[in-house]
């Protein structure tokens, strides 16, 4: 996310890939994967990724419904938080080791007026946002606001995914780096905000987000 809201762009369906062995039948879905589809049926192209994420405990149970609805900024934060804890360990320990808090029992700073400390279905969404903000993975939209219920734009999603990728890979968020080729730009490249340019193309280069 950036202080610049951006306009979003036509850079394809957001697809997150996870390394997970396939079943003997060749399908990407694992035993018990149908549990992820008990309450809602996702689009066919998303089914395998959701199944893998569910098997890896990356998708909170309360998010296993209403798949066709637009993903909000808060929805994406909840998923990002789960990924960081799954890959790096307990969030409070991560914050302390990263130097984002002064002591293991000190919470990160709550900086967004529209996300108080006890907000969310379980009273933890304020903490989730504060933690990811302290790690440099998310930012607000200006004016000490986060706009948690607004639908996330595709370039905001690319930025968040790129920062998660760099944090897990290097232990820090690296801005404005790119690992692939820029020989083939998207047809609507001029609609991609400057702050999201490298995020969009880096996620394409590692096959996390593709064009439409």
């Amino acid at each position: 996310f950036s202080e610049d809201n951006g306009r979003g762009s036509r850079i394809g369906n957001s697809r997150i890939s996870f390394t997970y062995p396939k079943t003997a039948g060749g399908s990407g879905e694992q035993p018990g994967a149908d549990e992820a589809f008990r309450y809602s049926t996702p689009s066919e192209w998303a089914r395998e990724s959701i199944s893998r994420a569910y098997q890896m405990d990356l998708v909170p149970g309360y998010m296993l419904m209403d798949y066709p609805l637009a993903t909000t900024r808060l929805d994406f934060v909840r998923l990002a938080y789960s990924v960081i804890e799954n890959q790096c360990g307990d969030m409070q320990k991560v914050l302390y080791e990263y130097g984002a808090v002064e002591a293991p029992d000190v919470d990160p700073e709550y900086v967004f007026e529209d996300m108080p400390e006890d907000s969310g279905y379980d009273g933890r969404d304020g903490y989730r946002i504060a933690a990811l903000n302290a790690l440099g993975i998310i930012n607000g939209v200006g004016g000490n606001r986060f706009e948690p219920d607004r639908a996330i734009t595709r370039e905001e999603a690319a930025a968040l995914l790129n920062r998660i990728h760099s944090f897990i890979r290097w232990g820090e968020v690296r801005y404005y780096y790119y690992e692939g080729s820029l020989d083939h730009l998207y047809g609507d490249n001029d609609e991609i905000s400057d702050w999201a340019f490298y995020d969009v193309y880096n996620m394409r280069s590692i096959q996390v987000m593709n064009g439409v």
Side-chain angles (χ1 to χ4, degrees):
F1 303 125
S2 170
E3 293 297 333
D4 180 346
N5 283 325
R7 290 176 290 171
S9 57
R10 300 188 299 276
I11 52 176
N13 293 318
S14 176
R15 307 186 183 191
I16 306 175
S17 300
F18 300 98
T19 302
Y20 206 88
K22 292 179 180 271
T23 60
S27 163
E29 295 182 13
Q30 301 302 303
D34 285 346
E35 290 294 313
F37 313 126
R38 289 178 61 188
Y39 307 108
S40 182
T41 302
S43 299
E44 189 60 33
W45 61 263
R47 187 179 178 92
E48 181 177 331
S49 291
I50 292 173
S51 171
R52 293 183 181 187
Y54 176 75
Q55 293 294 312
M56 295 172 70
D57 293 325
L58 298 181
V59 184
Y62 63 86
M63 296 188 72
L64 301 176
M65 57 189 71
D66 298 327
Y67 290 122
L69 296 182
T71 302
T72 67
R73 287 164 57 85
L74 179 56
D75 289 332
F76 228 84
V77 163
R78 290 166 174 167
L79 290 171
Y81 185 95
S82 293
V83 171
I84 294 296
E85 283 215 317
N86 180 278
Q87 297 294 312
C88 303
D90 177 73
M91 182 60 73
Q92 195 62 32
K93 181 180 178 181
V94 171
L95 289 167
Y96 179 63
E97 292 179 346
Y98 184 74
V101 294
E102 295 181 355
D105 59 347
V106 174
D107 279 0
E109 182 180 3
Y110 296 86
V111 298
F112 302 117
E113 295 176 355
D114 53 354
M115 285 305 301
E117 180 176 352
D118 59 352
S119 58
Y121 74 103
D122 61 353
R124 296 284 290 171
D125 282 339
Y127 175 82
R128 293 183 180 96
I129 288 177
L132 295 188
N133 177 253
L135 294 176
I137 293 173
I138 62 169
N139 298 314
V141 298
N144 294 325
R145 295 178 300 110
F146 185 75
E147 294 187 357
D149 298 323
R150 174 170 64 74
I152 191 171
T153 67
R154 296 176 49 74
E155 58 186 12
E156 285 176 336
L160 179 54
L161 289 168
N162 198 28
R163 292 169 193 171
I164 293 170
H165 166 69
S166 67
F167 187 84
I168 291 174
R169 181 172 180 179
W170 291 296
E172 63 180 4
V173 173
R174 295 187 178 181
Y175 297 91
Y176 308 115
Y177 83 95
Y178 183 63
E179 299 178 284
S181 169
L182 292 175
D183 290 342
H184 302 287
L185 301 179
Y186 288 116
D188 56 351
N189 180 72
D190 60 344
E191 296 183 30
I192 301 174
S193 300
D194 291 342
W195 58 262
F197 181 85
Y198 290 105
D199 299 313
V200 167
Y201 285 105
N202 208 38
M203 290 300 93
R204 183 183 70 172
S205 73
I206 62 174
Q207 300 181 17
V208 170
M209 290 184 72
N210 299 311
V212 296

